[in-house]
Amino acid sequence: MSASADAITIDHVIFDELREFGDDFVAHLVAQFGLHVDPLLVQLADAVNSGDHAALAVIAHTIRGSGAQLGGRRLASSCARLEEKVTAGLPVGQNDLQDVAVEYERLRSMITHRLSILNRPLDPASAT
Amino acid sequence: MPEMDGLEVKDAIDDEPTLTTRLVLMTALGEDTGAGAGVSASLSKPIHRDELWACMRIALGLEVQRSAEIASRTGPTSGEPAFGRLLLAEDNLINRKVAVAMLSNAGYRVDTVLDGVAAVQAAVAQPYDAILMDCQMPELNGYEATAAIRAEEGSRRHTPIIAMTAGARREDRELCLAAGMDSYLAKPVSKDALLSLVSRYVAIGQL
C-alpha cells in the first residue's frame, strides 16, 4: 500500500487523536469494530438481496459512523454512496456491497498494520 | 430476568435464614428499585471495571459506601466530577467508546444510554450539565428525545443538548435547533471540537 493510498483510506488527524488514548485502546477499538461490523455486513447483504431499502440505509449509516470515527475515509464514502442511492431510489447491487466490504477490510488491515509498525521495537543496529 | 427477577431472588434469599449471601443489585441507569434493605451495594449498567471493583469491596465490607449508589459512570472515581456530569446518548458502539474516552479523559463524568427512550428516562431521573445526543437512534431518535426532554423540563430547567450527527448539511443543523437542541457537532467527532463545545455549554449551564 502506497503512502498516498494510505492517506486516502485513513484520516490521520482522527487516527492520531485516537492514539492519544494509547495503542491498546485503538487495538481494542479495532477488535470491537470487527465484532460490530462483521454481522452488519451479513445483514447488509441480506437487505440488498431482499430489497429492504429501509434496512439498507440504517445499516450503511451505522457502518459509516463507526468507520468514520476510526478515520476510515474511504469506507465512510462507500457507505455514504450506498445511502445516497437508497435515498434517491436507485437500485443497490452487489458492486455496492463489494465496495463496502473491500473498504472495510482495507481499513482494518491498514490500522492493524500501522499499529504493528508503530509498536515495533527499535532495531538496536539501526539506532546507532 | 425470566422466571424470577432480581428483586424476587433477593426476597427469596432474605426469607431463607441459613443464607447470609451478600447481594449486589445491578440496575438500568436511573432505575429506582426501592430495594435498599438487604442489598450490600448497587451498580448501574453499563458496568465499568473500577466501579465493579469498588462495589465488591463495599459488598465485602472492605470499604464504606460513600453514597447510596455507585452509578454507572466513567471519569474520576472519587469525589465530585472535575468539570461536569454528562449524558451521552449514542447507539453506535465505536462512536460511544471514542466519545467516552475523550470526555472522561478530560475529567467529565459520563453516563451512557443507547436509545432515545433511555435518554429521556436518564435526563428525568438525574440533572446533567449537558447532554450529547446522537440524532439517529432506535426507539426514539435524537430529535424526538430532545423534544420529550424539553417538554419534561418546561420552564424549570434547560439542560444544554448538543446534537451529534453524521449529517453535515445546513438542513441537519436547522433540524437539530428546531427540535430544541442548543448546538451541533458533526461526526466523526474530533476531540478539540467536542471538548470546546461541551466546556462552553457546561459553563453556561453552571452559571
Side-chain angles (χ1 to χ4, degrees), chain B residues 48-59:
Chain B
H48 298 276
R49 188 180 57 184
D50 291 349
E51 290 160 2
L52 178 61
W53 178 249
C55 188
M56 287 299 108
R57 290 183 59 81
I58 291 163

Side-chain angles (χ1 to χ4, degrees), chain B residues 126-150:
Chain B
Q126 139 98 51
Y128 286 98
D129 293 300
I131 298 171
L132 290 150
M133 185 78 80
D134 179 29
C135 288
Q136 292 200 13
M137 290 186 292
E139 306 296 335
L140 277 185
N141 65 34
Y143 309 111
E144 294 164 334
T146 299
I149 290 169
R150 292 293 181 236

Side-chain angles (χ1 to χ4, degrees), chain A residues 86-98:
Chain A
V86 172
T87 305
L90 298 170
V92 176
Q94 297 302 320
N95 285 349
D96 302 297
L97 264 183
Q98 187 68 14

Side-chain angles (χ1 to χ4, degrees), chain B residues 54-119:
Chain B
C55 188
M56 287 299 108
R57 290 183 59 81
I58 291 163
L60 295 172
L62 301 172
E63 187 177 323
V64 176
Q65 190 160 11
R66 285 186 298 269
S67 63
E69 180 191 45
I70 301 169
S72 168
R73 61 182 76 108
T74 58
T77 54
S78 64
E80 288 303 304
F83 295 112
R85 187 165 184 183
L86 308 173
L87 176 65
L88 171 66
E90 169 66 80
D91 67 321
N92 185 303
L93 173 75
I94 302 299
N95 295 353
R96 195 167 60 244
K97 281 180 177 283
V98 171
V100 166
M102 289 174 174
L103 293 164
S104 59
N105 200 53
Y108 292 101
R109 284 198 170 172
V110 190
D111 292 340
T112 58
V113 290
L114 312 187
D115 63 57
V117 170

Side-chain angles (χ1 to χ4, degrees), chain A residues 14 17-18 20-21 25 28-29 32-33 36 58 61-66 68-70 83, chain B residues 91-95 97-98 101-103 105 134 136 165-167 187-192:
Chain A
I14 293 174
E17 266 192 8
L18 295 179
E20 289 178 23
F21 303 108
F25 175 73
H28 168 73
L29 274 185
Q32 292 290 312
F33 180 60
H36 175 61
V58 170
H61 182 83
T62 302
I63 299 173
R64 172 159 72 111
S66 302
Q69 197 62 67
L70 287 176
E83 282 184 79
Chain B
D91 67 321
N92 185 303
L93 173 75
I94 302 299
N95 295 353
K97 281 180 177 283
V98 171
M102 289 174 174
L103 293 164
N105 200 53
D134 179 29
Q136 292 200 13
T165 176
K187 290 180 184 176
V189 170
S190 81
K191 189 182 72 174
D192 287 348

